[in-house]
Amino acid sequence: MLQCTTIFQRDGHRWMNFGQDTDKPGNIIDSNQLVMVDGGAAMLLDPGGAEIFPSMMAALTRHVGVDQVRHVFLSHQDPDVTSSLPLWRRVCSADLKVYIPWMWTGFVAHFDPDSRVTPIPDQGMDVTVGRIRLRVLPAHYLHSPGNYHVYDEAARVLFTGDIGAALLPPGSRSNVFVERFDTHVQYMDAFHRRWMGSVAARDAWVAMVSKLDIDIIAPQHGLAFKGEDVRRFIEWFGALELGSGLAAFEQVHHHA
Amino acid sequence: MVSARIEETTSELFADCLTAFHAYDDLDELAEDLRILSLNAELAAGRAGDKGRAVRSLTQYTRALVSRLAVVQADIIGIKSTTYATSAAALRRLGELHTLEQASAEMGAATSEDTQQSGRKALEKARAETLRDVSENLGQMIGGVHDLAASTGQVLEVVSQSGSIATNIAIEAAAAGQYEAEFRTVAETMRRYVGLLRDIIDKANAAVTAAGDKGSALQALAAAAIKAMR
């Protein structure tokens, strides 16, 4: 069953993290599904794959009505992010707005040919949910070439998709937030080195987010960062050596 | 779950359609063999002069039948393409229906919160809509089966008429003098091709009949499921 944790709340403005599904099959990557609510409207951020739709639907409706869900944001094209889209479109209202990176609209159509989406341009865009203006920010090449994060200036929450992701051993979570950054690094290290391939993109992202006021970084996998761990994570990621998969090119054996 | 039963029968229906399509795999080659036979027979008929006049007409009629087979083959290719598309759509929708059913099961009877009640209603509505879409896709698949049956009927007509032509050529052979052996060979070869065409028809017919039965069962299943949801 998916656990719901409210990571921010003030005057009806809420961010909820749905994750840590103990019943999930072992071969399906663990994921966090974020929900932002304000003024009777809600946005699902990276609502998850088709396999976890039943769990997510059951967990979500304990707290949020599906008729409140007016927006679905997809940070990039991966199936653990997007493949439940046709199901959400079935249960949510007909005027549901779906935001997808412009690069991936034609690809997502392969499993949801009937969807009408709002393509997100390269530079991002603003989306208003209830009273709150959310900023959709570019995060291209980290890892997907068409990739976005969502910044809520009022809540000081930054949803970062795969940046900040950690692959934790089953049963090792006791909290939705990182408690000890120094021991948490081991669960992020290999993932970020392999999946994040562009140093230039990483540096541009670090420069961008360093100008934002952020209390919470919420990734799509693993634990969220708050307080001082936000700064620690940005510094750690900014100094990390990326592109570990490049070594494979040197290992190719050429036949004589 | 109703989706599982419908999915199983839909997969079986699709398998029957594939069997029928495969039965026609050799139709092109057989039609070409028939066309070449008729050309050679026409040349022989030409050499036979007056004794070959009737055979010449029969070979020209044979080529008209070959053209009809080409039209049927083109129709079958079109039906095949549509069947692949509609069965893919049906199976995709059935996958969605299955997941929606799982979501309903996971929510159970929980209605303590207003949000849960609205969630259950939304799921029921989504299931009903998806089932209607599935029913529409299945209707299109079943339409394809009927079209395939019609094409099979047309090939059967060609078989019947080709059989008659072979018989008439054999009759003409008896009076063809020095060309008798040549005309008899044409008649026997044509009978062999007609036999092969009958084999194709028999295989296709068996598969189309099985598909038709499954189609009727599916329509009944889908209608019962939609009625139950109402």
Side-chain angles (χ1 to χ4, degrees), chain A residues 3-8 15-20 175-177:
Chain A
Q3 310 297 319
C4 172
T5 306
T6 297
I7 60 174
F8 170 85
W15 277 81
M16 290 174 284
N17 181 100
F18 291 83
Q20 302 173 344
N175 198 336
V176 74
F177 289 104

Side-chain angles (χ1 to χ4, degrees), chain B residues 18-30:
Chain B
L18 284 182
T19 304
F21 294 142
H22 284 317
Y24 287 109
D25 278 350
D26 294 333
L27 185 62
D28 265 351
E29 195 178 324
L30 199 47

Side-chain angles (χ1 to χ4, degrees), chain A residues 45-56:
Chain A
L45 294 90
D46 287 4
E51 285 295 314
I52 67 159
F53 171 83
S55 303
M56 182 60 189

Side-chain angles (χ1 to χ4, degrees), chain A residues 219-239:
Chain A
Q220 200 225 344
H221 305 280
L223 305 180
F225 307 85
K226 68 176 176 183
E228 271 300 298
D229 284 339
V230 169
R231 179 190 57 78
R232 286 193 191 104
F233 171 75
I234 294 171
E235 284 175 4
W236 171 83
F237 184 49

Side-chain angles (χ1 to χ4, degrees), chain B residues 19-70:
Chain B
T19 304
F21 294 142
H22 284 317
Y24 287 109
D25 278 350
D26 294 333
L27 185 62
D28 265 351
E29 195 178 324
L30 199 47
E32 181 60 9
D33 288 344
L34 204 48
R35 189 184 70 85
I36 292 170
L37 176 69
S38 71
L39 281 172
N40 289 332
E42 189 171 1
L43 286 173
R47 286 194 295 275
D50 282 347
K51 291 187 192 311
R53 197 174 297 133
V55 171
R56 196 169 171 174
S57 298
L58 289 167
T59 60
Q60 286 167 351
Y61 191 44
T62 303
R63 283 206 296 288
L65 292 178
V66 169
S67 296
R68 275 183 70 185
L69 283 181

